[in-house]
Amino acid sequence: MSVKPVLLVIAHGSRDPRHAATVHALVRRVRSLRPDVRVETGFLDFNIPSAQGVLESLAAEGVPDVVALPLLLTRAFHAKADIPAVLRDAPRRLRIRQAEVLGPSPLLVSALERRLYEAGLTPADKSSTGVVLASAGSTDPEAIAVIAEIAREWRHTGWCAVRPAFASASLPRTEDAVRQLRDLGCERVAVAPYVLAPGFLPDRIARGAAEADVLADVLGPAPEVARVLLERYEAARMPVLAAVGA
């Protein structure tokens, strides 16, 4: 019986201790869903263990196969440059596949709605509520386009309106999107942070939500997020197994 590849979750890292705590909570949920899969965590910056250090430790153990999963919602700089660079520098004895980033996914939209309902909304509020889909922001046009498309698609599920907003690099800001929804005549306005963990930019989103009626929590260890991680792992590991004849 073949051994499943190790799932290495690669997170950005942050000086804010809430970031690493949330990442570890999400990884614990993933482990609980799939106890047959070994799941490790590595960080690009600020936190330990580093992704490079974890890869070196796995190689030293004799682990043959790794699926490296970027804990990111869009394919921006970290997914296109930083993480591939780390993987290129990994010990050559490791066979590594880089999984796709988490978004977009219908499961993540379900997680956004979960957080909004946990913050006090109900499904009956949808038609009278405008939602700000607030992301961290990026200079990558592909990433910005994905956020805009998610907002357009989410609007069709019954919300009064959905507007994208960005905490950095792009416009509009959260507070501007809140005002736009007020001007549209939405009875209430909710802000849904499309971010995985607390930190500097999520705090900026929260400040921008000061005039909103509802502010949802970050996605964090929502069960839907854990399921997306496992979907990306399964999609990436199959070529690995095929390559070694498993």
Side-chain angles (χ1 to χ4, degrees), residues 39-62:
V39 187
E40 300 291 342
T41 309
F43 296 89
L44 291 175
D45 207 353
F46 302 117
N47 301 107
I48 54 173
S50 68
Q52 184 67 34
V54 175
L55 289 166
E56 291 171 358
S57 295
L58 292 173
E61 286 181 37

Side-chain angles (χ1 to χ4, degrees), residues 49-224:
S50 68
Q52 184 67 34
V54 175
L55 289 166
E56 291 171 358
S57 295
L58 292 173
E61 286 181 37
V63 169
D65 297 302
V66 176
V67 170
L69 192 152
L71 195 62
L72 302 167
L73 295 172
T74 59
R75 289 191 73 253
F77 182 79
H78 296 303
K80 294 178 179 179
D82 286 348
I83 291 175
V86 169
L87 301 184
R88 283 194 298 271
D89 290 340
R92 292 188 178 274
R93 72 185 68 178
L94 290 174
R95 288 187 294 261
I96 305 173
R97 292 280 298 191
Q98 180 174 332
E100 291 294 331
V101 297
L102 302 185
S105 167
L107 284 170
L108 293 178
V109 175
S110 296
L112 288 166
E113 294 208 354
R114 170 189 292 275
R115 293 303 189 223
L116 286 169
Y117 297 150
E118 289 171 349
L121 293 179
T122 70
D125 297 323
K126 291 182 77 167
S127 63
S128 57
T129 301
V131 178
V132 177
L133 178 67
S135 74
S138 174
T139 57
D140 189 306
E142 178 187 351
I144 297 304
V146 166
I147 300 300
E149 180 62 20
I150 293 169
R152 282 192 294 269
E153 292 295 322
W154 199 15
R155 162 69 181 83
H156 296 319
T157 66
W159 297 100
C160 173
V162 180
R163 292 286 186 273
F166 307 95
S168 68
S170 305
L171 296 174
R173 293 287 183 259
T174 301
E175 52 269 34
D176 297 324
V178 169
R179 294 185 189 109
Q180 289 172 10
L181 292 172
R182 292 276 188 225
D183 292 343
L184 279 176
C186 296
E187 185 176 317
R188 68 184 64 78
V189 176
V191 174
Y194 190 59
V195 293
L196 287 166
F200 176 76
L201 292 178
D203 283 349
R204 181 179 288 177
I205 290 171
R207 291 193 297 273
E211 296 180 13
D213 302 293
V214 174
L215 171 62
D217 200 357
V218 299
L219 296 174
E224 296 87 354

